[in-house]
Amino acid sequence: MDFRTTIDHKTFGVRATALLVRGNQIYLAKSPAGQYYCIGGAITVGETTEEAVRREVREEVGCEISVDQLAFVVETTFCQPDVNVHTIEFHYLVTPVTEPSPSLRENGTPRECEWMDIDKLDKIDLRPAFLKTALKDLDGQVKHVVSMEGKDGF
């Protein structure tokens, strides 16, 4: 069971996300709307966030990874049609051990994936947006980030 609950059009969950980095590139998925995002998803009850990030990468792009370090703990709120979302996210720097698939399926919809230059992230619609600059400034310390988009519905 995913660690996620919805009550009265409000969803709360805990996620683990892979910052899949190789050299100066990060591996991202692309939504049909043209938004880029990292591989990851909800943790399951009884699973650690590190276990979840390994599982999510394996499930989504068939790749084995080496988990290097926790880079960001992120509190995010945003609005989707008919629901306000609040998540706590654990973003891990990871290194691919095997080559990831060039695509994945999310909710039955195929999504293309690609390696993007970290120096060019400011030119794309990346979610969460803080990653556009934060990835360039990593110093080995875990950062706490609060991203409150569309706070009005809460």
Side-chain angles (χ1 to χ4, degrees):
M1 172 189 335
D2 283 352
F3 194 95
R4 180 177 12 200
T5 189
T6 300
I7 300 171
D8 296 329
H9 303 287
K10 295 176 184 162
T11 295
F12 176 78
V14 179
R15 296 175 36 87
T17 302
L19 303 171
L20 192 59
V21 174
R22 179 171 64 192
N24 192 42
Q25 293 187 314
I26 184 167
Y27 192 74
L28 300 171
K30 186 177 181 181
S31 76
Q35 297 167 333
Y36 288 86
Y37 58 96
C38 298
I39 306 301
I43 69 167
T44 59
V45 174
E47 180 179 51
T48 69
T49 56
E50 187 172 324
E51 291 168 340
V53 79
R54 287 179 195 279
R55 177 185 51 76
E56 286 288 340
V57 171
R58 189 177 314 112
E59 287 176 0
E60 292 186 4
V61 293
C63 177
E64 295 301 322
I65 59 171
S66 168
V67 177
D68 301 323
Q69 74 167 70
L70 179 61
F72 304 103
V73 175
V74 184
E75 297 179 56
T76 301
T77 63
F78 59 93
C79 297
Q80 291 182 331
D82 300 324
V83 67
N84 292 324
V85 180
H86 184 171
T87 63
I88 305 298
E89 303 173 352
F90 295 83
H91 293 253
Y92 284 90
L93 277 172
V94 304
T95 302
V97 174
T98 60
E99 191 63 27
S101 171
S103 65
L104 61 87
R105 277 201 168 294
E106 190 167 296
N107 300 323
T109 304
R111 308 275 174 110
E112 295 302 313
C113 300
E114 62 186 283
W115 289 101
M116 300 287 294
D117 288 338
I118 292 173
D119 295 335
K120 296 180 181 174
L121 294 179
D122 58 337
K123 305 214 181 325
I124 64 171
D125 186 0
L126 178 61
R127 304 296 169 95
F130 84 90
L131 289 171
K132 290 181 181 189
T133 55
L135 286 173
K136 297 175 191 174
D137 298 329
L138 288 175
D139 61 6
Q141 300 295 310
V142 177
K143 303 284 191 262
H144 176 228
V145 177
V146 178
S147 174
M148 307 301 243
E149 302 172 25
K151 181 76 172 138
D152 292 345
F154 286 86

